Amino acid sequence: MLRPQTEAEACDIVRDHAARSAPLGVCGGNTRAGFGNAVAAETVLSSRATAGITAYNPAEMVMTAKAGTPVEDVQAALAENGQMLAFEPADHRAAMGTEGEPTIGGVFAANVSGPRRFVAGAARDSLLGIRFVNGRGEAIANGGRVMKNVTGLDLVKLLAGSHGTLGFLTEVTFRVLPVGKAVETLVISGLNDAEAAHAMAAAMALPVEVSGAAHLPESVKGRFAGGVLADGAATVLRLEGLAASVALRMEKLAAVMAAYGPVSRLDGEASHRLWREVRDIHPYADGTPRPLWRVSVGPSAGHQLVAALRLETGVDAYYDWQGGLVWMRMESDPEAMLLRGYMKALGGGHATLLRASPAARAATPAFEPQAPGVALLSARVKAALDPQGIFNPGKMG
């Protein structure tokens, strides 16, 4: 594994490999090593040695950090000033069975977004500027420290979610938000998946600013929050903000949600723990290679998709983003064709295989296949930024 200390050193490494058409695996802390298809490269280029926060003014709510900076360091610096990453990035180590330290560059490269994503936006929506090394070994800067309209190609958004296939990130600039002074979670007990979808939709229509909406079926409910949730499935709704505001909004939310089922509340550390576990796919951090899917569909389609699959194969699941994100674990095979066929019938979406046995990964396209026109455009962008195709070859198909 190559760990350049500076951007200039990274440029030299990439130029050398481009001249020889020698492939390079690209990673940060390598904590998401199993994401995507297998990479056809023996040498790995890591940003881990380039670390440090280079600019941060809490009053501006903008931070700049080198790509290899541990996420833990970023969050610690923000916490000292009562601020946070709005998109709530997940820590996938337990679910993926990996080690190391997640890096801020890796978070943006994979566009990792947690429970707050459906109201606060994805990781890419917080990204303002980047520096990266392209496939020619050239250092490129794009964006800045403010959000503005972009003329031409927005490389900031393009690199976010590209999984290291378009360039080697060396620095990222992103906006942050204040931390809510209080957090409280309303728990509605005993709803089935379809009833929970209706309840979450009703909650989102209320003027109470729900910042987290998830449904935990009975098969997984006991693995959350230390088993303190009431009997039956749990539909959980989070409110954040000033303590007085949260209390008032919670009373309004509870009054409406009581019509759907018995309600209870979690506050303080119990609430924080619950949402960390929702974020980090805690029920499926089971130390096995059983296939794990991240499925994004319309909020009303998630429970229909799971119900259809359960008629034909063994599947366990829970729901985030008001039902629009389904964390799905298969009992044996990934069943990619079956899953994607039902998704198409229900209006489309995206299914990404996060974890599986080596044999299953080799036989299963990890990312949602692109439409022909999109695939052609993606190939042209790849050719422009990485003409020799040396960055993470095969990762995204």
Side-chain angles (χ1 to χ4, degrees), residues 7-60:
E7 184 179 80
E9 187 179 343
C11 288
D12 291 340
I13 291 171
V14 172
R15 274 196 297 269
D16 173 63
H17 281 74
R20 297 183 287 112
S21 296
L24 275 171
V26 174
C27 73
N30 212 30
T31 62
R32 299 178 180 88
F35 278 35
N37 305 302
V39 175
E42 294 183 1
T43 304
V44 176
L45 180 63
S46 169
S47 65
R48 186 64 187 87
T50 58
I53 296 169
T54 56
Y56 174 41
N57 184 341
E60 295 178 348

Side-chain angles (χ1 to χ4, degrees), residues 4-342:
Q5 301 287 324
T6 65
E7 184 179 80
E9 187 179 343
C11 288
D12 291 340
I13 291 171
V14 172
R15 274 196 297 269
D16 173 63
H17 281 74
R20 297 183 287 112
S21 296
L24 275 171
V26 174
C27 73
N30 212 30
T31 62
R32 299 178 180 88
F35 278 35
N37 305 302
V39 175
E42 294 183 1
T43 304
V44 176
L45 180 63
S46 169
S47 65
R48 186 64 187 87
T50 58
I53 296 169
T54 56
Y56 174 41
N57 184 341
E60 295 178 348
M61 294 195 292
V62 174
M63 177 181 283
T64 300
K66 294 181 180 179
T69 307
V71 174
E72 184 178 2
D73 291 357
V74 169
Q75 292 176 323
L78 293 174
E80 288 180 2
N81 294 281
Q83 295 179 343
M84 65 179 183
L85 295 169
F87 51 90
E88 211 168 354
D91 182 346
H92 289 106
R93 285 176 290 185
M96 298 299 297
T98 56
E99 299 178 348
E101 288 286 339
T103 64
I104 192 64
V107 162
F108 285 111
N111 194 32
V112 180
S113 311
R116 203 179 288 109
R117 183 255 184 269
F118 76 124
V119 291
R124 64 162 50 93
D125 298 309
S126 291
L127 192 59
L128 302 175
I130 56 173
R131 290 187 64 87
F132 70 99
V133 179
N134 69 9
R136 298 181 179 87
E138 301 165 336
I140 306 292
N142 188 249
R145 291 182 61 82
V146 296
M147 191 73 73
K148 58 184 178 181
N149 293 329
V150 176
T151 300
L153 190 61
D154 186 359
L155 297 178
V156 173
K157 299 298 187 286
L158 193 63
L159 268 286
S162 65
H163 292 269
T165 60
L166 300 179
F168 177 69
L169 282 174
T170 58
E171 187 177 79
V172 290
T173 298
F174 48 94
R175 61 184 177 88
V176 299
L177 289 180
V179 174
K181 300 296 183 182
V183 59
E184 193 167 354
T185 299
L186 184 75
V187 182
I188 312 164
S189 299
L191 305 185
N192 63 35
D193 293 3
E195 292 168 338
H198 289 299
M200 289 189 288
M204 294 306 301
L206 297 172
V208 295
E209 300 179 17
V210 173
S211 68
H215 177 62
L216 318 175
E218 194 160 9
S219 61
V220 299
K221 183 266 300 178
R223 300 173 218 164
F224 286 98
V228 303
L229 297 173
D231 291 341
T235 306
V236 291
L237 304 167
R238 180 177 61 185
L239 301 183
E240 299 173 292
L242 297 174
S245 172
V246 169
L248 181 61
R249 288 183 283 133
M250 181 58 73
E251 290 299 326
K252 293 180 179 179
L253 179 63
V256 175
M257 292 296 105
Y260 290 88
V263 298
S264 56
R265 302 182 190 183
L266 296 177
D267 56 16
E269 180 52 36
S271 187
H272 285 297
R273 176 179 178 176
L274 170 67
W275 290 100
R276 282 196 303 269
E277 292 172 346
V278 171
R279 178 196 73 184
D280 295 344
I281 331 171
H282 181 71
Y284 305 138
D286 52 14
T288 76
R290 281 185 287 183
L292 177 62
W293 289 95
R294 179 188 181 277
V295 181
S296 179
V297 292
S300 63
H303 68 93
Q304 298 179 62
L305 175 64
V306 173
L309 288 169
R310 281 177 172 158
L311 294 176
E312 299 196 46
T313 190
V315 58
D316 195 26
Y318 74 94
Y319 310 83
D320 199 0
W321 300 357
Q322 194 201 324
L325 175 64
V326 187
W327 291 110
M328 187 181 300
R329 188 191 64 193
M330 301 300 194
E331 292 305 315
S332 53
D333 296 329
E335 302 286 5
M337 291 184 63
L338 185 65
L339 167 59
R340 287 171 170 148
Y342 277 124

